Amino acid sequence: MEIANIDQLGERQRNISWQEMRNKYATLSEVVDGHTVYKFYGNYQSDQIIEAPFYMSLIPINSFIPWHVHDYIEITIVIQGNLKMHFLGETITVRAGQAVLLDARCAHQNTPLIDPSVAMTIAIRPNILQKLLIEGMPTRGVLTRFLSHSMNHMDFAERYWQFVDIEQNILSGILTGLIGTYSKYEGLSNDLQQSLLQALLLLLMDQSHIFQTNNVHINKFHIRPLDLILYIDEQYRTVSLKNMANFFNYSPNYLSTKLIQTTGYSFQQLVQQKRLDVATELLKKTDISVEKVASNVGYSNPVYFYRLFKRVFGVTPKNYRKDNRS
């Protein structure tokens, strides 16, 4: 993947001393699953991260960085070559044109990057992502609720998402524009800069909706919460707790507990949220009947849908349509 203005992020650092970095920032640590995990909170990579709502940088070359967590969301994008990333219990290889989004507090470590590989990171404070990207984006259903919940969850969160088949021309254009605006303006006050960050996240979210249903050899110990969310996002019309549990090789009770732990919502709440999100879009953007809307989102009883909708939104579906016409 070609990024014409990648040099505007500055010269790549080489052979960074971990001992010097540790002494400078007096980094705290704790043991997680047998690994000493350091807390890079607020001041890692650049003092700018203390002030700036987001920060872009190139990953240094030939530099050891230990297991660590951030208190910000990090997007890693490989421009050239590949990068090996280690998580608790799993290692992935990120190739050129691919991206990984790491939740805040996700413990990880990268194998030192070697020439000619090139990779960059975008660090975004959770409150900025919440305010400008999640709340400002179009309705994205369960997935955005999950991401929003993860920003406010304070335990160690082994949540990350690898995006493989990204449209390269679009990704390259977004990154080129984002780097250009970032090198000229600090912060997120610039509308163009905000729009480019939103475009990047939307591109990744669109990629995440590609869900493979033909994987019959699922290892439940390596199933990420995102897999569960995407299953509901794709199968919401007909999904049942029993069928979903069978698909992931869980018991229904275990799946129910896991969903609450990782998303903050029960299975029924997640399905209901997704169905109602789709229903509101159909009411705003189409002229199909309320009965048809109910059927399209998975409710066979239109009376039940009518009562549920009014209870959740405070208005009937017909009035909602009238008040929210595009």
Side-chain angles (χ1 to χ4, degrees):
M1 181 173 64
E2 294 291 333
I3 307 295
N5 60 349
I6 191 73
D7 60 333
Q8 291 183 17
L9 291 179
E11 184 177 352
R12 286 195 294 170
Q13 295 177 293
R14 297 172 179 269
N15 304 312
I16 293 178
S17 169
W18 160 239
Q19 191 60 47
E20 291 180 7
M21 184 187 299
R22 182 181 179 185
N23 292 340
K24 178 179 180 180
Y25 295 124
T27 306
L28 299 175
S29 68
E30 64 179 270
V31 177
V32 181
D33 286 358
H35 298 283
T36 299
V37 178
Y38 291 87
K39 299 179 180 180
F40 293 160
Y41 283 3
N43 55 7
Y44 176 55
Q45 294 204 39
S46 169
D47 293 333
Q48 293 184 48
I49 198 67
I50 298 175
E51 301 294 337
F54 90 108
Y55 177 71
M56 300 176 69
S57 66
L58 294 171
I59 293 180
I61 297 295
N62 296 327
S63 299
F64 168 79
I65 305 296
W67 284 91
H68 63 282
V69 293
H70 311 136
D71 58 349
Y72 48 83
I73 306 296
E74 181 178 84
I75 302 175
T76 297
I77 304 169
V78 176
I79 308 301
Q80 182 176 315
N82 60 75
L83 172 68
K84 188 167 289 186
M85 302 183 70
H86 307 280
F87 301 92
L88 299 177
E90 189 170 15
T91 296
I92 63 174
T93 298
V94 190
R95 307 187 189 283
Q98 299 179 359
V100 175
L101 190 152
L102 288 82
D103 185 16
R105 302 163 308 281
C106 177
H108 65 286
Q109 180 186 43
N110 298 342
T111 296
L113 196 64
I114 301 175
D115 269 333
S117 294
V118 180
M120 62 179 290
T121 59
I122 303 174
I124 311 172
R125 288 197 177 282
N127 64 319
I128 296 299
L129 193 63
Q130 173 80 24
K131 180 179 178 181
L132 297 181
L133 301 187
I134 300 302
E135 295 176 1
M137 286 167 54
T139 299
R140 304 300 294 173
V142 181
L143 186 56
T144 45
R145 284 194 174 91
F146 170 68
L147 184 56
S148 177
H149 172 77
S150 72
M151 295 174 187
N152 300 307
H153 195 68
M154 295 309 296
D155 296 333
F156 281 102
E158 195 61 11
R159 300 183 179 98
Y160 66 91
W161 311 294
Q162 183 177 10
F163 304 96
V164 177
D165 298 318
I166 307 174
E167 172 52 53
Q168 296 296 281
N169 289 335
I170 298 177
L171 178 61
S172 178
I174 292 174
L175 291 178
T176 299
L178 191 57
I179 292 171
T181 59
Y182 178 78
S183 63
K184 295 178 181 177
Y185 307 102
E186 293 296 334
L188 284 178
S189 59
N190 183 271
D191 289 340
L192 176 59
Q193 198 173 59
Q194 174 184 337
S195 296
L196 288 166
L197 275 173
Q198 289 176 330
L200 176 60
L201 189 62
L202 278 170
L203 178 63
L204 298 183
M205 292 301 100
D206 282 342
Q207 293 294 309
S208 73
H209 279 266
I210 301 173
F211 184 81
Q212 299 297 325
T213 59
N214 59 347
N215 184 1
V216 295
H217 299 292
I218 293 178
N219 184 338
K220 66 181 181 181
F221 296 105
H222 289 158
I223 293 173
R224 295 180 289 273
L226 180 62
D227 298 321
L228 304 177
I229 296 303
L230 291 180
Y231 185 89
I232 294 175
D233 233 20
E234 297 295 330
Q235 307 292 329
Y236 66 92
R237 294 178 182 86
T238 59
V239 67
S240 71
L241 181 63
K242 181 179 179 180
N243 289 342
M244 184 174 173
N246 288 338
F247 182 87
F248 287 106
N249 195 27
Y250 286 147
S251 71
N253 287 340
Y254 181 84
L255 174 61
S256 179
T257 300
K258 189 173 182 66
L259 284 170
I260 293 174
Q261 290 175 342
T262 57
T263 71
Y265 298 96
S266 69
F267 170 79
Q268 292 296 341
Q269 287 174 321
L270 290 169
V271 174
Q272 177 181 296
Q273 288 168 356
K274 175 61 181 180
R275 288 177 173 178
L276 292 180
D277 281 338
V278 176
T280 58
E281 293 299 302
L282 291 174
L283 290 169
K284 288 188 291 185
K285 298 178 181 179
T286 74
D287 293 318
I288 62 177
S289 67
V290 173
E291 291 76 14
K292 188 66 173 177
V293 169
S295 176
N296 284 351
V297 301
Y299 292 111
S300 59
N301 186 340
V303 175
Y304 174 80
F305 170 74
Y306 185 96
R307 291 174 178 171
L308 174 64
F309 193 97
K310 186 175 181 180
R311 176 168 59 82
V312 173
F313 295 102
V315 295
T316 66
K318 290 183 178 179
N319 287 337
Y320 182 91
R321 168 177 276 166
K322 181 179 179 181
D323 295 339
N324 293 274
R325 267 301 189 184
S326 299

